[in-house]
């Protein structure tokens, strides 16, 4: 079964953002960023696009489908 994975933490760190800074930039809480990074929460398409835009990468670079580990 395919699941949604992400590279948000890696890309956020490379961009020099804290969770709080990225959250403020896209209009969500720091906890939301944390739960996305830990695959507890799957963001809406709108939030996924905002995150990718803020990080300056295509959304496919942040989120991708993969098989269960």
């Amino acid at each position: 079964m395919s699941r949604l994975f992400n590279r948000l933490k890696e890309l956020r760190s490379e961009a020099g953002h804290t969770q709080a800074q990225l959250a403020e930039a896209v209009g969500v809480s720091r906890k939301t960023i944390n739960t996305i990074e830990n695959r507890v929460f799957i963001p809406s398409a709108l939030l996924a696009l905002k995150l990718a835009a803020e990080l300056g990468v295509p959304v496919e670079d942040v989120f991708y489908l993969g098989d269960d580990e």
Side-chain angles (χ1 to χ4, degrees):
M1 181 167 127
S2 292
R3 295 188 61 177
L4 186 66
F5 293 86
N6 72 76
R7 297 179 52 228
L8 184 59
K9 183 175 184 177
E10 175 186 346
L11 294 168
R12 174 182 57 75
S13 294
E14 287 175 5
H17 290 300
T18 65
Q19 288 181 345
Q21 290 167 332
L22 182 58
E24 184 175 340
V26 298
V28 298
S29 70
R30 185 207 57 80
K31 184 175 180 178
T32 297
I33 299 299
N34 180 271
T35 58
I36 294 169
E37 288 182 356
N38 291 305
R39 295 180 37 221
V40 172
F41 174 71
I42 297 173
S44 67
L46 178 60
L47 180 52
L49 290 167
K50 285 182 177 182
L51 289 166
E54 182 63 29
L55 295 170
V57 298
V59 72
E60 296 89 351
D61 286 359
V62 184
F63 299 96
Y64 60 96
L65 290 176
D67 292 326
D68 284 333
E69 299 171 347

